[in-house]
Amino acid sequence: MNDFLVDAYPWLKALHIVAVIAWMAGLLYLPRLYVYHAQVPARSNRAAMLAVMERRLLRGIMWPALVMVYGFGAALAVTPEMAWQWQRYWIWTKLGLVALLTAYHLMLAYWRRGFAAGRYPHGARFYRFVNEVPTILMIAIVLLAVAKPF
Ligand code: HEM
């Protein structure tokens, strides 16, 4: 089993990064759709079109990508290469930031259901602001994962 995990390690890491790119693309694009959606009348044709785009992005790309980020990340976590890394702080800090990124994903899903039901609790400015959150988290997570500074 150990030999298999050692051989699989670079492939698991590559698939992990591919899944991260797909998830990040959705986390950065979906709030942009909310910026436009917040500016069109509820129940209009444009609102209906945006609702379809948002649902397909979340269900067709973001949820599968999240599951694969976690799946390949968990597989990497049990490889021999990672054995001694658990005594260090970078991986725990990274997983803490990943939990925040996941909470952000769940908020996006909650806002999507609101838009689909014609509820607009926030304006375009709000979604422009929250669109910065995944960028900041992604930069911190990638620096921790690659540089492993502490
Ligand atoms: C629960 C989710 C996640 C888990 C369990 C996880 C776990 C891991 C593990 C164990 C490694 C291997 C580290 C190494 O051996 O060098 C790794 C690599 C990596 N992870 Fe994650 N990760 C998760 C989510 C993420 C997210 C959300 C991002 C980016 C936003 C990310 C970015 C990376 C990068 C860039 C690497 C490659 C680091 C290198 O090549 O040195 N991971 N991850």
Side-chain angles (χ1 to χ4, degrees):
M1 181 60 176
N2 243 13
D3 291 348
F4 166 74
L5 285 174
V6 170
D7 293 345
Y9 175 74
W11 300 95
L12 292 172
K13 194 184 274 191
L15 291 169
H16 179 60
I17 295 172
V18 168
V20 162
I21 293 169
W23 191 29
M24 287 310 308
L27 290 171
L28 295 169
Y29 185 45
L30 190 52
R32 289 307 310 169
L33 292 177
Y34 293 167
V35 169
Y36 302 130
H37 204 150
Q39 297 174 73
V40 299
R43 316 222 177 279
S44 63
N45 287 344
R46 287 189 65 196
M49 180 195 70
L50 285 162
V52 171
M53 291 169 70
E54 291 154 4
R55 190 182 65 240
R56 288 184 178 160
L57 179 59
L58 200 61
R59 294 185 182 167
I61 296 175
M62 293 171 66
W63 275 114
L66 181 153
V67 170
M68 285 193 271
V69 166
Y70 273 69
F72 292 124
L76 280 166
V78 297
T79 57
E81 279 80 358
M82 271 301 293
W84 66 282
Q85 295 283 352
W86 294 101
Q87 287 126 42
R88 303 186 62 206
Y89 294 112
W90 73 268
I91 182 72
W92 300 104
T93 313
K94 177 188 171 188
L95 294 179
L97 296 179
V98 171
L100 289 179
L101 205 57
T102 308
Y104 180 79
H105 175 109
L106 296 173
M107 279 314 293
L108 289 177
Y110 171 75
W111 289 323
R112 187 203 69 77
R113 289 193 295 277
F115 274 118
R119 289 193 308 272
Y120 290 28
H122 306 290
R125 240 174 97 111
F126 172 82
Y127 296 111
R128 276 199 199 93
F129 177 73
V130 295
N131 202 4
E132 304 310 323
V133 172
T135 309
I136 296 163
L137 289 174
M138 181 263 291
I139 293 170
I141 293 170
V142 171
L143 289 178
L144 284 166
V146 176
K148 302 177 174 61
F150 44 72

